[in-house]
Amino acid sequence: MILFESMKSKSQNTYQEVIARCWSDYVSKTPSAEAIHDLLADRGEHIVNDHIAFRTFNHPKTRISVLEKPFLEAGYKARGTYHFEAKKLVAQHYEHPDADAPKIFISELLLEEFSPELNHVISEIVEPLEEEEVVAFPSRPWQNVSFETYRSLLAESEYAAWMYVFGFCANHFTILVNELKGIKSLEEMDEFLKSQGFEFNISGGEIKGTPAELLEQSSILADKMEVDFVEGKREIPSCYYEFARRYADADGKLFQGFIAKSADKIFESTDVR
Ligand code: OOG
Ligand code: NI
């Protein structure tokens, strides 16, 4: 019994438990997501998550092959791999045999393509980490963050700066618009949310992707959140909500992948504006 309990606390979380923890952390950083969730629930909608996204650094302590472990243990399988040359990122998506499980999208920053200064900052925070801290979603295992360091990372990579402050948490959840009863298209979804005052990420166009590409996506701009830096409190972009509409391929099967060209622009939802 004791053995069972200790094993359970170490790694036997179901994906539902991990995702539920990530959702409550995410809405605490993203009040817009909870507001949108509630607006749709008030219209009688049942919300289905298409996917949830995590970010990391490709350091041996934190790379994708570390972050993916709890998801693989929970039954997820690695599927598509994606490359983002300009942003110096790669990503991997995962699917679960249980069709109700949201897909998982994990990206990592290619540290070797950045300056020694950036690498120094990141090694300082990730070198001391134990694997359990990295995969204890959601987590930012390093304690103090400096606004000056955040600013210096921003100059090289929006992604690096965001990761430095927020760590291993879900940076967005995604509503699968296909499953909504009263909203038929992504255009309709966006128009409804804009009428409620939500602002969209328009980089690369408000709707990224086309029916021919089998995936259309849009996202709101990340909420602003007050963060406790060592220098004091500052407001910076936190997390965002995404909306996706998927289309069936020639075999009639709903496309389950991602489109790198669209994802490249979705990343910018957390950019400092
Ligand atoms: C991930 C951006 C890409 C998608 O659905 O294409 C993405 C991120 O912001 O970390 O989520
Ligand atoms: Ni996404």
Side-chain angles (χ1 to χ4, degrees):
M1 191 61 200
I2 289 165
L3 177 66
F4 173 77
E5 282 303 328
S6 67
M7 278 172 61
K8 186 167 187 289
S9 66
K10 196 150 179 256
S11 63
Q12 306 287 97
N13 287 306
T14 63
Y15 75 80
Q16 288 95 335
E17 285 166 340
V18 173
I19 291 169
R21 285 203 304 273
C22 287
W23 173 260
S24 49
D25 168 76
Y26 165 73
V27 293
S28 77
K29 295 170 173 155
T30 326
S32 291
E34 191 152 50
I36 290 169
H37 199 275
D38 292 350
L39 274 171
L40 293 171
D42 288 347
R43 291 171 51 133
E45 296 288 2
H46 170 69
I47 292 153
V48 173
N49 285 315
D50 179 74
H51 67 270
I52 303 171
F54 299 90
R55 297 175 173 180
T56 193
F57 301 110
N58 74 338
H59 186 281
K61 290 272 177 109
T62 60
R63 56 195 172 199
I64 289 176
S65 59
V66 177
L67 251 72
E68 70 180 3
K69 284 184 184 177
F71 297 106
L72 296 180
E73 281 170 22
Y76 276 90
K77 300 273 182 265
R79 292 284 185 255
T81 304
Y82 311 90
H83 296 265
F84 305 94
E85 265 170 46
K87 292 188 173 64
K88 302 169 180 167
L89 296 167
V90 298
Q92 174 81 56
H93 99 263
Y94 302 82
E95 292 173 32
H96 197 278
D98 173 354
D100 292 337
K103 286 172 278 299
I104 303 293
F105 184 96
I106 309 179
S107 58
E108 67 184 9
L109 193 71
L110 304 174
L111 292 171
E112 66 278 13
E113 299 194 21
F114 290 90
S115 73
E117 292 76 20
L118 182 144
N119 274 275
H120 178 73
V121 170
I122 305 311
S123 348
E124 293 263 290
I125 57 174
V126 304
E127 286 291 353
L129 299 181
E130 301 291 340
E131 189 169 300
E132 298 79 69
E133 303 175 277
V134 177
V135 300
F137 300 103
S139 80
R140 189 193 76 195
W142 49 95
Q143 289 300 309
N144 296 329
V145 284
S146 138
F147 190 66
E148 196 191 319
T149 306
Y150 173 75
R151 297 287 310 176
S152 73
L153 293 174
L154 264 187
E156 279 194 67
S157 161
E158 291 270 355
Y159 183 108
W162 185 95
M163 254 316 284
Y164 170 70
V165 174
F166 295 104
F168 313 104
C169 66
N171 72 69
H172 66 279
F173 276 65
T174 308
I175 295 180
L176 180 59
V177 172
N178 302 48
E179 297 289 336
L180 299 176
K181 297 188 303 275
I183 294 176
K184 294 283 166 252
S185 65
L186 201 55
E187 286 84 353
E188 215 183 301
M189 179 76 183
D190 289 7
E191 288 314 314
F192 170 60
L193 294 176
K194 284 192 281 186
S195 77
Q196 301 291 319
F198 294 97
E199 248 192 284
F200 277 77
N201 166 6
I202 56 167
S203 175
E206 183 181 300
I207 294 184
K208 289 121 180 101
T210 60
E213 290 170 295
L214 309 180
L215 175 61
E216 291 177 307
Q217 295 165 277
S218 64
S219 58
I220 56 166
L221 294 172
D223 278 340
K224 292 280 182 64
M225 177 179 153
E226 198 171 68
V227 170
D228 254 322
F229 288 99
V230 290
E231 297 91 339
K233 293 186 191 303
R234 302 279 192 285
E235 268 203 352
I236 64 165
S238 55
C239 305
Y240 63 96
Y241 218 177
E242 183 188 318
F243 317 101
R245 183 172 180 203
R246 293 187 178 272
Y247 293 85
D249 62 18
D251 302 332
K253 204 180 155 287
L254 215 56
F255 174 65
Q256 295 297 324
F258 291 80
I259 308 280
K261 179 166 61 73
S262 302
D264 188 67
K265 303 299 178 201
I266 298 272
F267 277 111
E268 295 171 19
S269 308
T270 57
D271 280 8
V272 173
R273 301 170 298 274

